[in-house]
Amino acid sequence: MSGKKLKAVEHPPVTARRQHKADAKAAATHPPPRQRPLTRIQKEKQDIILEAALEVFSVHGFRGSTIDQIAEVAGMSKPNLLYYFPRKEEIHRRLIAALLDTWLAPLRDFDQNGDPFTEIRSYIRRKLEMARDFPRESRLFANEMLQGAPRISEMIEIDLKALVDEKAKILLTWMEQGRLARTDPYHLIFSIWATTQHYADFDVQVRAVLGKGRNGEGRFEDAARYLEQLFMHGLSPKPRMNGSA
Amino acid sequence: MSGKKLKAVEHPPVTARRQHKADAKAAATHPPPRQRPLTRIQKEKQDIILEAALEVFSVHGFRGSTIDQIAEVAGMSKPNLLYYFPRKEEIHRRLIAALLDTWLAPLRDFDQNGDPFTEIRSYIRRKLEMARDFPRESRLFANEMLQGAPRISEMIEIDLKALVDEKAKILLTWMEQGRLARTDPYHLIFSIWATTQHYADFDVQVRAVLGKGRNGEGRFEDAARYLEQLFMHGLSPKPRMNGSA
DNA sequence: GGAAATTTTGACCAGTTGGAAAAATGTTAG
DNA sequence: CTAACATTTTTCCAACTGGTCAAAATTTCC
């Protein structure tokens, strides 16, 4: 039953093709993107706006957020905000760009020459700290992923993939050397991402389930302890003899 | 620097207080929610709408989705859709309600009398299957969480918490019996949720990173194998003597 | 201090969005 | 067949949204 065809959702769904009459002139009434090296005041205001935008975008996603909301959180009028960032997308783009850089830093630091378990442990720890200290960034990222990463598909298909490939190779080497349990390095990385970011992205759920008791900093301490145990034991190379060919 | 106060985002952010002139009459022109036992045709149409709404809401979240989008996906006009669900929120509420029920079923089945490892393994497997077979539901849920679960806070603070408390107790018992590694049962459950749902919520990322190679069904097979290894080894009760007090 | 440049504001616009009303078109039981 | 009911379409609206623009307020630099 229900023979009606259900069309799939597309991405630039309703808005976006409304190009208005902007950009043709670009920088007539908007001096910020000028040749000048960007005043200190401009930098400050932009930071305030980006802060506010992070607050809003991370909760409602791109489409669900409005310039008015961001302007209100930033404590300025909408036209004023638009003076610094002529379009909504630009704000989002800036946030995402800055995010990706910081977000992957811990993985970049993953060191070939280190001890496998030390490296993995400190990676988990750093990711968990990021979830604790930058939950909004984590949610912004999650929001983007949930939506199919329309604005950063290139970034993840190329840069991210390359980085993960590189690190997966390191893990593989360690496994071959018997210093790490033989397993799928990609899924290993996924599981670290998932478990750590969970504490930022599903924060409400975690809080609700843990109740009012263990919820302050302790929450993250416990998580760190648990994850460490899980991964250290789960990945230790068993001296069993059933792996090699 | 930047002494401007940054207001926090509230939830019924901009819209929502626009109550129009609805609800006062309720069911003057909208017969569906009548006393009649709901025709088969009505049921069908509602299902089509809910299907379409799931498609849209799961990607763009509540605020980011529009009735027009849903109507288009459902293959009907907006007023026609509104004939079946007088308001947007109602559609969402219905989806969420149905979701929560199915979503927690695997955890409910967690059996006190089973073998710890069998239970955990099959729980992981079922959750992973759900991520594979119902990714939209997973994303709908994730979207709701990211937004701070404004529409289901009660549900998770009461029902979900109670359920998890109950299962955590079971895990604790097993740990005390030495049948499972002594660890934090709550974070154990979180980590299973996180790792399995990751494959639905961050699907684009997973696909991008894995590349075109291992991506069909194999993706989930590999994930299952990896997670099984991780959790089975990570949670096995080491015969080491360093845990007790 | 004052002209030039920068920043902010207020009024305004066109397109979108959630929803209302009512007319028009089926459907169905008698 | 037709009255009563169910469904769909057309038209319309007010609030919201992203964005413009010119004038006003402020800051900067000589």
Side-chain angles (χ1 to χ4, degrees), chain A residues 27-65:
Chain A
T29 358
H30 309 286
R34 206 58 165 291
Q35 58 243 95
R36 299 252 179 210
L38 208 58
T39 13
R40 174 182 31 70
I41 298 181
Q42 286 172 342
K43 185 92 183 66
E44 277 179 24
K45 285 294 174 87
Q46 287 193 0
D47 284 348
I48 292 178
I49 293 171
L50 289 173
E51 238 290 311
L54 175 59
E55 190 79 22
V56 177
F57 280 139
S58 67
V59 173
H60 298 290
F62 183 74
R63 285 223 45 198
S65 305

Short mmCIF file of all heavy atoms in Angstrom, two decimals, chain A residues 27-65:
data_model
loop_
_atom_site.label_atom_id
_atom_site.label_comp_id
_atom_site.label_asym_id
_atom_site.label_seq_id
_atom_site.Cartn_x
_atom_site.Cartn_y
_atom_site.Cartn_z
N ALA A 27 31.02 45.26 -1.21
CA ALA A 27 31.97 46.19 -0.58
C ALA A 27 31.73 47.63 -0.97
O ALA A 27 32.63 48.43 -1.00
CB ALA A 27 33.40 45.80 -0.88
N ALA A 28 30.50 47.93 -1.29
CA ALA A 28 30.16 49.33 -1.50
C ALA A 28 29.84 49.92 -0.15
O ALA A 28 30.50 50.84 0.32
CB ALA A 28 28.96 49.45 -2.42
N THR A 29 28.85 49.34 0.51
CA THR A 29 28.49 49.79 1.84
C THR A 29 29.15 48.93 2.92
O THR A 29 29.07 49.22 4.09
CB THR A 29 26.96 49.73 2.04
OG1 THR A 29 26.39 49.31 0.81
CG2 THR A 29 26.43 51.09 2.43
N HIS A 30 29.76 47.87 2.53
CA HIS A 30 30.41 46.97 3.50
C HIS A 30 31.92 47.06 3.40
O HIS A 30 32.52 46.31 2.63
CB HIS A 30 30.03 45.52 3.23
CG HIS A 30 28.57 45.30 3.12
ND1 HIS A 30 27.73 45.31 4.20
CD2 HIS A 30 27.79 45.05 2.06
CE1 HIS A 30 26.49 45.08 3.79
NE2 HIS A 30 26.50 44.91 2.51
N PRO A 31 32.52 47.91 4.16
CA PRO A 31 33.98 48.04 4.04
C PRO A 31 34.79 46.94 4.69
O PRO A 31 35.95 46.80 4.33
CB PRO A 31 34.27 49.37 4.74
CG PRO A 31 32.91 49.96 5.05
CD PRO A 31 31.97 48.83 5.09
N PRO A 32 34.28 46.19 5.62
CA PRO A 32 35.15 45.24 6.32
C PRO A 32 36.05 44.43 5.42
O PRO A 32 37.25 44.43 5.60
CB PRO A 32 34.17 44.37 7.09
CG PRO A 32 32.98 45.21 7.27
CD PRO A 32 32.90 46.12 6.09
N PRO A 33 35.49 43.76 4.45
CA PRO A 33 36.40 42.98 3.60
C PRO A 33 37.13 43.90 2.62
O PRO A 33 36.97 43.80 1.43
CB PRO A 33 35.49 42.00 2.88
CG PRO A 33 34.12 42.52 3.03
CD PRO A 33 34.11 43.58 4.05
N ARG A 34 37.91 44.77 3.16
CA ARG A 34 38.64 45.74 2.33
C ARG A 34 40.08 45.29 2.16
O ARG A 34 40.44 44.19 2.53
CB ARG A 34 38.58 47.09 3.07
CG ARG A 34 38.69 48.30 2.18
CD ARG A 34 37.59 48.33 1.11
NE ARG A 34 37.48 49.65 0.51
CZ ARG A 34 37.04 50.73 1.15
NH1 ARG A 34 36.65 50.63 2.40
NH2 ARG A 34 36.97 51.89 0.52
N GLN A 35 40.87 46.14 1.59
CA GLN A 35 42.29 45.79 1.47
C GLN A 35 43.02 46.08 2.78
O GLN A 35 44.04 45.51 3.06
CB GLN A 35 42.95 46.60 0.34
CG GLN A 35 42.86 48.11 0.51
CD GLN A 35 42.04 48.74 -0.61
OE1 GLN A 35 40.83 48.96 -0.48
NE2 GLN A 35 42.68 48.98 -1.74
N ARG A 36 42.46 47.00 3.57
CA ARG A 36 43.06 47.33 4.87
C ARG A 36 43.27 46.07 5.69
O ARG A 36 42.50 45.13 5.59
CB ARG A 36 42.13 48.21 5.70
CG ARG A 36 41.82 49.49 5.07
CD ARG A 36 42.29 50.76 5.45
NE ARG A 36 41.65 51.54 4.41
CZ ARG A 36 42.12 52.66 3.91
NH1 ARG A 36 43.22 53.17 4.37
NH2 ARG A 36 41.50 53.27 2.97
N PRO A 37 44.29 46.09 6.51
CA PRO A 37 44.63 44.88 7.27
C PRO A 37 43.68 44.56 8.42
O PRO A 37 44.06 43.83 9.32
CB PRO A 37 46.05 45.20 7.79
CG PRO A 37 46.09 46.70 7.85
CD PRO A 37 45.25 47.18 6.72
N LEU A 38 42.44 45.06 8.39
CA LEU A 38 41.45 44.65 9.39
C LEU A 38 41.77 45.23 10.78
O LEU A 38 42.61 44.69 11.51
CB LEU A 38 41.40 43.13 9.48
CG LEU A 38 40.09 42.49 9.91
CD1 LEU A 38 38.96 42.86 9.00
CD2 LEU A 38 40.25 40.99 9.98
N THR A 39 41.05 46.28 11.11
CA THR A 39 41.25 46.93 12.41
C THR A 39 41.06 45.99 13.58
O THR A 39 40.44 44.97 13.46
CB THR A 39 40.22 48.08 12.61
OG1 THR A 39 39.23 47.97 11.62
CG2 THR A 39 40.89 49.42 12.59
N ARG A 40 41.60 46.41 14.70
CA ARG A 40 41.46 45.61 15.90
C ARG A 40 39.99 45.53 16.31
O ARG A 40 39.49 44.49 16.71
CB ARG A 40 42.28 46.24 17.03
CG ARG A 40 42.13 45.59 18.39
CD ARG A 40 42.94 46.33 19.45
NE ARG A 40 43.06 47.75 19.20
CZ ARG A 40 42.06 48.63 19.30
NH1 ARG A 40 40.85 48.22 19.64
NH2 ARG A 40 42.26 49.90 19.05
N ILE A 41 39.28 46.65 16.13
CA ILE A 41 37.86 46.67 16.44
C ILE A 41 37.10 45.68 15.59
O ILE A 41 36.25 44.93 16.07
CB ILE A 41 37.28 48.08 16.21
CG1 ILE A 41 37.98 49.07 17.15
CG2 ILE A 41 35.78 48.07 16.47
CD1 ILE A 41 37.47 50.48 17.02
N GLN A 42 37.41 45.65 14.32
CA GLN A 42 36.74 44.71 13.43
C GLN A 42 37.00 43.28 13.87
O GLN A 42 36.09 42.46 13.92
CB GLN A 42 37.24 44.92 12.00
CG GLN A 42 36.68 46.19 11.37
CD GLN A 42 37.30 46.49 10.04
OE1 GLN A 42 38.37 45.99 9.71
NE2 GLN A 42 36.65 47.34 9.26
N LYS A 43 38.23 43.02 14.19
CA LYS A 43 38.56 41.68 14.66
C LYS A 43 37.74 41.32 15.89
O LYS A 43 37.18 40.22 15.97
CB LYS A 43 40.07 41.62 14.98
CG LYS A 43 40.56 40.24 15.36
CD LYS A 43 41.07 39.47 14.13
CE LYS A 43 41.49 38.05 14.51
NZ LYS A 43 40.34 37.23 14.96
N GLU A 44 37.67 42.25 16.81
CA GLU A 44 36.91 41.98 18.04
C GLU A 44 35.45 41.70 17.76
O GLU A 44 34.89 40.73 18.25
CB GLU A 44 37.01 43.19 18.98
CG GLU A 44 38.28 43.20 19.82
CD GLU A 44 38.33 44.43 20.72
OE1 GLU A 44 37.26 44.99 21.04
OE2 GLU A 44 39.45 44.81 21.11
N LYS A 45 34.85 42.56 16.95
CA LYS A 45 33.44 42.39 16.65
C LYS A 45 33.20 41.06 15.93
O LYS A 45 32.25 40.34 16.22
CB LYS A 45 32.93 43.55 15.78
CG LYS A 45 32.75 44.84 16.57
CD LYS A 45 31.65 44.70 17.61
CE LYS A 45 31.53 45.91 18.52
NZ LYS A 45 30.68 46.96 17.97
N GLN A 46 34.06 40.76 15.02
CA GLN A 46 33.92 39.49 14.32
C GLN A 46 33.98 38.32 15.29
O GLN A 46 33.22 37.36 15.17
CB GLN A 46 35.01 39.35 13.25
CG GLN A 46 34.79 40.26 12.06
CD GLN A 46 35.67 39.90 10.88
OE1 GLN A 46 36.47 38.95 10.95
NE2 GLN A 46 35.52 40.64 9.79
N ASP A 47 34.87 38.46 16.25
CA ASP A 47 34.98 37.38 17.23
C ASP A 47 33.70 37.24 18.05
O ASP A 47 33.24 36.13 18.32
CB ASP A 47 36.17 37.62 18.17
CG ASP A 47 37.49 37.30 17.48
OD1 ASP A 47 37.44 36.68 16.39
OD2 ASP A 47 38.55 37.65 18.01
N ILE A 48 33.15 38.38 18.44
CA ILE A 48 31.91 38.35 19.20
C ILE A 48 30.81 37.66 18.38
O ILE A 48 30.07 36.82 18.88
CB ILE A 48 31.46 39.77 19.58
CG1 ILE A 48 32.44 40.37 20.59
CG2 ILE A 48 30.05 39.75 20.15
CD1 ILE A 48 32.10 41.78 20.99
N ILE A 49 30.76 38.04 17.12
CA ILE A 49 29.74 37.45 16.25
C ILE A 49 29.96 35.95 16.09
O ILE A 49 29.02 35.16 16.19
CB ILE A 49 29.75 38.13 14.87
CG1 ILE A 49 29.30 39.58 15.01
CG2 ILE A 49 28.87 37.38 13.90
CD1 ILE A 49 29.48 40.40 13.75
N LEU A 50 31.20 35.56 15.87
CA LEU A 50 31.48 34.14 15.69
C LEU A 50 31.13 33.36 16.95
O LEU A 50 30.60 32.25 16.88
CB LEU A 50 32.94 33.93 15.31
CG LEU A 50 33.30 34.40 13.90
CD1 LEU A 50 34.79 34.33 13.65
CD2 LEU A 50 32.56 33.56 12.86
N GLU A 51 31.42 33.97 18.09
CA GLU A 51 31.08 33.34 19.36
C GLU A 51 29.57 33.09 19.43
O GLU A 51 29.11 31.98 19.70
CB GLU A 51 31.47 34.29 20.50
CG GLU A 51 32.43 33.73 21.51
CD GLU A 51 31.76 32.67 22.36
OE1 GLU A 51 30.65 32.92 22.87
OE2 GLU A 51 32.36 31.59 22.48
N ALA A 52 28.84 34.14 19.15
CA ALA A 52 27.37 34.05 19.20
C ALA A 52 26.86 33.04 18.19
O ALA A 52 25.97 32.23 18.47
CB ALA A 52 26.75 35.41 18.95
N ALA A 53 27.45 33.08 17.01
CA ALA A 53 27.01 32.18 15.95
C ALA A 53 27.26 30.73 16.34
O ALA A 53 26.45 29.85 16.09
CB ALA A 53 27.72 32.50 14.65
N LEU A 54 28.39 30.50 16.98
CA LEU A 54 28.70 29.14 17.43
C LEU A 54 27.63 28.66 18.40
O LEU A 54 27.14 27.55 18.30
CB LEU A 54 30.07 29.14 18.11
CG LEU A 54 30.50 27.82 18.76
CD1 LEU A 54 30.54 26.72 17.73
CD2 LEU A 54 31.85 27.99 19.44
N GLU A 55 27.29 29.55 19.30
CA GLU A 55 26.25 29.25 20.29
C GLU A 55 24.94 28.83 19.62
O GLU A 55 24.31 27.86 20.00
CB GLU A 55 26.02 30.50 21.16
CG GLU A 55 25.16 30.30 22.37
CD GLU A 55 25.93 29.66 23.52
OE1 GLU A 55 27.17 29.75 23.52
OE2 GLU A 55 25.27 29.05 24.38
N VAL A 56 24.58 29.57 18.61
CA VAL A 56 23.30 29.33 17.95
C VAL A 56 23.37 28.17 16.95
O VAL A 56 22.56 27.24 17.01
CB VAL A 56 22.81 30.60 17.24
CG1 VAL A 56 21.52 30.32 16.48
CG2 VAL A 56 22.59 31.71 18.25
N PHE A 57 24.33 28.21 16.06
CA PHE A 57 24.44 27.16 15.05
C PHE A 57 24.62 25.78 15.67
O PHE A 57 24.10 24.79 15.16
CB PHE A 57 25.64 27.42 14.13
CG PHE A 57 25.39 28.44 13.06
CD1 PHE A 57 26.35 29.39 12.73
CD2 PHE A 57 24.19 28.46 12.36
CE1 PHE A 57 26.12 30.33 11.73
CE2 PHE A 57 23.95 29.41 11.37
CZ PHE A 57 24.92 30.34 11.05
N SER A 58 25.38 25.72 16.75
CA SER A 58 25.67 24.42 17.34
C SER A 58 24.41 23.76 17.89
O SER A 58 24.36 22.56 18.06
CB SER A 58 26.71 24.56 18.45
OG SER A 58 26.19 25.29 19.54
N VAL A 59 23.42 24.57 18.18
CA VAL A 59 22.18 24.01 18.72
C VAL A 59 21.15 23.75 17.61
O VAL A 59 20.56 22.69 17.55
CB VAL A 59 21.56 24.93 19.79
CG1 VAL A 59 20.20 24.42 20.21
CG2 VAL A 59 22.48 25.02 20.99
N HIS A 60 20.99 24.73 16.75
CA HIS A 60 19.91 24.61 15.78
C HIS A 60 20.34 24.23 14.37
O HIS A 60 19.48 24.09 13.49
CB HIS A 60 19.12 25.91 15.73
CG HIS A 60 18.48 26.28 17.02
ND1 HIS A 60 17.42 25.58 17.54
CD2 HIS A 60 18.76 27.23 17.94
CE1 HIS A 60 17.07 26.11 18.70
NE2 HIS A 60 17.87 27.11 18.97
N GLY A 61 21.63 24.12 14.15
CA GLY A 61 22.08 23.81 12.80
C GLY A 61 21.97 25.04 11.92
O GLY A 61 21.47 26.08 12.35
N PHE A 62 22.45 24.92 10.70
CA PHE A 62 22.48 26.09 9.83
C PHE A 62 21.09 26.60 9.50
O PHE A 62 20.76 27.75 9.76
CB PHE A 62 23.23 25.77 8.54
CG PHE A 62 23.35 26.95 7.63
CD1 PHE A 62 24.25 27.97 7.92
CD2 PHE A 62 22.57 27.05 6.49
CE1 PHE A 62 24.34 29.08 7.09
CE2 PHE A 62 22.67 28.15 5.66
CZ PHE A 62 23.55 29.17 5.95
N ARG A 63 20.28 25.73 8.97
CA ARG A 63 18.95 26.17 8.54
C ARG A 63 18.07 26.60 9.71
O ARG A 63 17.23 27.48 9.58
CB ARG A 63 18.25 25.04 7.79
CG ARG A 63 18.78 24.83 6.39
CD ARG A 63 17.63 24.61 5.43
NE ARG A 63 16.56 25.58 5.66
CZ ARG A 63 15.33 25.47 5.25
NH1 ARG A 63 14.96 24.41 4.58
NH2 ARG A 63 14.42 26.38 5.51
N GLY A 64 18.25 25.96 10.83
CA GLY A 64 17.41 26.26 11.98
C GLY A 64 17.78 27.53 12.71
O GLY A 64 17.06 27.97 13.61
N SER A 65 18.91 28.10 12.36
CA SER A 65 19.36 29.31 13.04
C SER A 65 19.03 30.55 12.21
O SER A 65 19.03 30.50 10.99
CB SER A 65 20.86 29.25 13.27
OG SER A 65 21.21 28.08 13.97
#
